[in-house]
Structures are given as C-alpha cells and as structure tokens.
Amino acid sequence: GGEALLRRCAELALVRFAPLLASYVWQRQPFRLRYVPRRGETPAHIGGTTLFGDNVEDEWFIVYLVREITREFPGLAARIDDNDGEFLLIEAADFLPKWLNPENSENRVFFYKGELHIIPLSETSEQDWDLSAPCPTIPEALALLSTHSEEFLAAEPIRAAVYKRIDGYPEKIQASLHRAHCYLPAGIVAVLRQRPSLVAAAVQAFYLRDPGDLRACRRPFRTFPADQRVMTLVTFTRCLYAQLVQQKFVPDRRSGYTLPAPSHPQYRAYELGMKLAHGFEILCSKSSKVAPDAKRNVLSSPLWERFLRSLKEKDYFKGEMEGSAKYLELLHMAEDHFQQSVDVPESWFGPCGPAGLCRITDLSCILSDDSWLDITPDALDQMLKEARSESLPSTNEEEQKYDLETVAESMKAFVSKVSTHEGAEMPW
C-alpha cells in the first residue's frame, strides 16, 4: 500500500496505545513511530529511536509495545535492537542454538503476529553450519517470514526468557511509579498538572547538572521563587525518584531555598521539592523563547483532529463529560502524548508554564512506600539464587550455598588486593 498505508498504520498504533502512552513517564525520550522512506536495500517502513537513559524498564516497555503492535497489525513484522545489538538474544543467551552468533544474527530476529521468530541459518546459507554466512537482507527476511513463519517460531525457552521481561505489562506500569509529597513553587505545580511528563526532564536537569547549570541557582530564582511554595503530590517513576532522593545537595543561600532540620516531619517533602525546583530552574535558564501560538499550531493540524476523533471512538475519555476536571486531565495527557509523538518541537511551553491558577492535588491519598530503595543481604542472596537457577541446571541446595559463599569470598579477596600499574590479578 506504500507510504499512505504505512503512515496510517503509525497513526492507528498511536491511537491504539494512547491510553498507555499518554500517562507514561519516560526517563529521557518517548516512544515514537514515523514514516521512513526507502534507503538502499531497506524498504520504506515505520520506525523510531528512543534514548532510554538509566531506566532500562523503558526499553522493555518498548519491546512490549512492538510485540503488541505486530499482534494488532498482522501485516507488520518488527525488529528491535539497541546499542548492545540484538539484546533480545542476549536476554535468552543460555538457550540459543550454537550456530547463532553476533556476526550472523542481524535481520534474523523479528516479532511477527505477536510472537518472536528467528530465521534459521539453513534458509540463508547452503550449509547449515556455515557460521560465516552473510546475514539476510530485510526484503529476504520479510519474504521468508511471510511464507514460513510457523517454522521460524523461536524455541519455547527463548521466547519464555524474553517474554518474562515484558510479563505483567500494562499493569506493571503502575507498579513502576512512586508518589511523594513535594514542597514546590505553585508555578511548577501548574506546569506538572498540564504536563506530568516534565518531571523527568527536571530530574535529569538536576541529576546531570554541572557548575555552569548551577549559575542560575546562585541567586533568587527568577522563574520559580521559593516564597511561592505549596505542598503537592508528585508522580515519579521509581528510577527518577531514586535519582532525586539519593543525591546529596545543599542549596545556595542566595537562592531563597532553605531546609528545615532533618528531624522535621516534612523534611523529605522540603528536600525533594528543593531539588525538583532546581531542576526546573536549570531547564528554564537553558530554554529558548518560543512563539506563543506554537501550541495552537500543533493542535490545530488535521492530524490532531483525526487523533482526537479516534480517541473518542476508542472511549479514551471513559464517558467523562466534556469540560469536566477528569476530562481535561485526560485531554492534557493526550495533547502531551500527541505533541511528543509527531516529532514537533518540545519547547512550545514557555518558561512559566501555562497561564491560570493551579488546583492543588488532594493530599489525603495514600503515598507510595519507598522501602524498595533498600535491598537487604537476604534479598540480594535470593536474587542471586533465582538468577543462577534460571541459567543453570538445578543442583542441590548445599552446592548452591557453597558456590555463593565461594564467589563472595573471591570477590572480597579481589577488591582488597592492592593493584599495581599492571592491574590486579584475580585471586583464584
């Protein structure tokens, strides 16, 4: 069907998964699909690239999305890789056939009709064990998939290893979130009500700050002054929350941000709010001015009208009355998701956020427990045992205990060894 069909598939996929994507908080960049014209042997297709940063769960959520897209659109086959290459094969490394190696694996691993497929060597080489056989081209791989997909279904242990990483989605999304009280300037509260996903950019700005970034924080804040703070509830991902809470930081006295004594019952809320406010102030100090009608231009395109119409047909608004608080909240999330997904500039938001008064979140709701930040020695031992039992044939309990103790002692000996210019030797 050519370009028009591919663009339509990308649009339909955007709508189909909007309820999940609109409320998802990405660590760095969102999941995007766009039309890519033919280049060399690679035919025209829809695809995208996402920088997922420190949150590897973003990567596995994308794997889930890619698999579900091929399930929803049986005419599509999809391959996915990252900076490590065919990372799906790395996940299932203990169960791969011996002929499969990094040199001959390109264009062999596909999701098709919601299942993982591997094109065998015998289909692209005259000899079954020709390990130096060239990788198939994309057209060759697609032709084989369309006629022999049943034969190319990946072995059950391989599929199980990969599917285990995406098991539990989409329900797993809620489990990855963490909600905490923050004492924040009202302007930031208003911004986060309009675009909750901006919490990620603010945390990253604070977490990756350099001395130049902090210049904007060595004076009274221009955009988010400290004397306009209110208590609110902020939704983070666990990764973002851990990055924020684990950073040790003392604000400059000139900034206007001060902290109560650590024994204060709201000390954590003051500290989190102070760090987040610094992130937002850094963002604003680095942002460029944007035309005030930039948002209106984005949301007045025919594509947005089609997108909104499709959302209503798919009951995205869950029967909420148009103009109600819940309807507007869902609408803002849809606008945010659409604006990020169609590759338009992210900076249509001015440094002060949207005009108007904020409505403070109800503080009576239950907060997330942050005990998950601490891993006990027993929990670590259990994780090691589970990881070992998955990759190796089962052994008796005494052997497992002996192995773990041996590894621990060897590690202690290694880290305590004095190294020279030639490095440290492994204590066998």
Side-chain angles (χ1 to χ4, degrees):
E3 180 178 347
L5 180 60
L6 286 170
R7 288 188 182 279
R8 180 64 178 156
C9 280
E11 186 181 327
L12 290 172
L14 188 70
V15 172
R16 166 64 181 80
F17 295 99
L20 297 181
L21 293 169
S23 59
Y24 194 84
V25 179
W26 297 94
Q27 181 79 10
R28 295 293 294 275
Q29 293 177 345
F31 175 71
R32 287 193 183 103
L33 286 178
R34 60 186 178 87
Y35 170 76
V36 183
R38 179 185 180 88
R39 184 177 301 161
E41 291 185 328
T42 304
H45 60 281
I46 53 176
T49 303
T50 297
L51 182 66
F52 57 85
D54 294 320
N55 192 1
V56 73
E57 282 306 315
D58 282 5
E59 181 173 33
W60 288 105
F61 179 45
I62 290 174
V63 173
Y64 166 78
L65 291 170
V66 168
R67 185 185 73 167
E68 293 305 302
I69 286 171
T70 64
R71 194 192 305 278
E72 292 281 329
F73 304 93
L76 295 179
R79 62 180 303 265
I80 180 170
D81 57 25
D82 68 4
N83 46 302
D84 290 324
E86 299 286 351
F87 69 96
L88 300 181
L89 296 184
I90 297 173
E91 191 66 27
D94 293 323
F95 311 104
L96 298 180
K98 292 182 179 179
W99 62 263
L100 196 55
N101 60 53
E103 287 71 38
N104 63 23
S105 61
E106 189 176 356
N107 297 340
R108 294 188 185 277
V109 185
F110 288 86
F111 279 110
Y112 184 54
K113 297 182 179 178
E115 295 289 354
L116 188 67
H117 291 73
I118 299 177
I119 297 175
L121 200 64
S122 58
E123 294 295 333
T124 56
S125 172
E126 293 180 0
Q127 297 181 0
D128 284 2
W129 294 95
D130 182 6
L131 300 186
S132 61
C135 301
T137 64
I138 293 286
E140 288 172 346
L142 295 178
L144 288 166
L145 269 178
S146 65
T147 54
H148 297 81
S149 61
E150 295 85 1
E151 302 167 33
F152 299 161
L153 193 64
E156 196 281 329
I158 297 175
R159 283 181 289 142
V162 172
Y163 294 171
K164 183 178 180 181
R165 289 304 302 263
I166 57 178
D167 186 43
Y169 281 111
E171 294 79 11
K172 194 175 177 181
I173 295 172
Q174 288 302 314
S176 71
L177 298 177
H178 184 90
R179 295 170 180 85
H181 281 144
C182 296
Y183 196 47
L184 282 171
I188 293 178
V189 177
V191 169
L192 289 177
R193 284 196 62 78
Q194 293 284 332
R195 286 190 62 185
S197 62
L198 278 178
V199 69
V203 171
Q204 290 296 296
F206 176 77
Y207 187 71
L208 302 176
R209 67 192 181 279
D210 59 34
D213 294 333
L214 288 177
R215 277 199 295 269
C217 306
R218 294 190 185 122
R219 58 175 183 262
F221 280 22
R222 293 176 179 174
T223 312
F224 303 113
D227 59 358
Q228 296 178 5
R229 286 178 288 177
V230 294
M231 195 68 78
T232 189
L233 198 64
V234 178
T235 299
F236 303 88
T237 62
R238 286 188 167 191
C239 183
L240 291 169
Y241 179 77
Q243 286 181 327
L244 202 62
V245 79
Q246 298 290 351
Q247 286 263 305
K248 302 298 181 186
F249 182 75
V250 178
D252 192 294
R253 273 196 239 173
R254 292 166 291 182
S255 70
Y257 282 84
T258 56
L259 295 176
S263 58
H264 191 283
Q266 297 295 334
Y267 176 80
R268 176 58 62 85
Y270 275 84
E271 184 187 37
L272 287 172
M274 175 271 294
K275 293 175 181 177
L276 204 53
H278 276 69
F280 272 103
E281 192 73 14
I282 291 169
L283 280 182
C284 290
S285 70
K286 298 165 78 171
S287 67
S288 57
K289 291 187 177 181
V290 186
D293 60 347
K295 177 183 178 183
R296 188 167 62 249
N297 291 340
V298 171
L299 300 179
S300 62
S301 67
L303 182 56
W304 164 251
E305 294 300 326
R306 289 205 306 272
F307 178 64
L308 186 58
R309 190 163 55 248
S310 298
L311 287 181
K312 290 176 179 177
E313 291 170 359
K314 297 285 185 181
D315 196 29
Y316 167 76
F317 293 99
K318 302 173 184 174
E320 293 291 334
M321 186 179 296
E322 193 164 341
S324 67
K326 184 63 177 175
Y327 180 94
L328 291 176
E329 182 183 340
L330 292 169
L331 180 63
H332 289 319
M333 287 196 300
E335 289 174 350
D336 186 16
H337 167 52
F338 176 81
Q339 185 254 339
Q340 294 184 72
S341 301
V342 296
D343 276 338
V344 296
E346 286 237 2
S347 54
W348 54 259
F349 247 97
C352 297
L357 297 173
C358 63
R359 183 172 65 87
I360 305 303
T361 307
D362 178 14
L363 299 183
S364 63
C365 48
I366 298 173
L367 297 177
S368 303
D369 176 17
D370 62 3
S371 60
W372 52 267
L373 280 168
D374 303 311
I375 299 179
T376 64
D378 289 343
L380 180 59
D381 283 346
Q382 185 60 34
M383 290 163 66
L384 288 170
K385 286 179 181 177
E386 289 175 1
R388 186 175 185 278
S389 63
E390 285 171 10
S391 60
L392 295 175
S394 60
T395 56
N396 65 53
E397 206 168 296
E398 283 301 314
E399 286 178 348
Q400 288 191 3
K401 183 179 178 184
Y402 169 79
D403 287 347
L404 285 172
E405 289 174 355
T406 303
V407 170
E409 289 304 317
S410 179
M411 184 64 75
K412 286 178 187 174
F414 177 66
V415 298
S416 63
K417 198 169 180 66
V418 177
S419 66
T420 68
H421 67 283
E422 295 179 340
E425 291 184 7
M426 177 63 76
W428 299 110

